[in-house]
Amino acid sequence: MSERNDPSTGGLDAYIEAAAGLLAIPLDPAWIGAIGSNLAVLRAAAAHVAEFSLPDEAEAAPVYEA
């Protein structure tokens, strides 16, 4: 079973199809593999960001408005 279809890794194919349906985006089945690969890369990048702990003293960046 591929990682994209393995329920223990999130079942990206099912997620892609469900998200496309909810957003009413026409989805060519040939795109699912490429979309799944992209989501896997993004998930790995997000994991690196989430692993980075900040000290309690850290403050959020200010928001500038024009």
Side-chain angles (χ1 to χ4, degrees):
M1 180 181 297
S2 74
E3 180 181 293
R4 282 197 342 264
N5 293 319
D6 183 352
S8 67
T9 60
L12 288 178
D13 286 0
Y15 173 79
I16 293 164
E17 291 174 10
L22 286 171
L23 297 171
I25 298 173
L27 181 62
D28 183 337
W31 299 345
I32 293 177
I35 294 168
S37 295
N38 188 300
L39 287 175
V41 169
L42 291 172
R43 182 171 30 184
H48 286 297
V49 173
E51 289 174 357
F52 188 80
S53 62
L54 294 173
D56 290 336
E57 303 82 38
E59 293 184 22
V63 175
Y64 296 100
E65 297 181 17

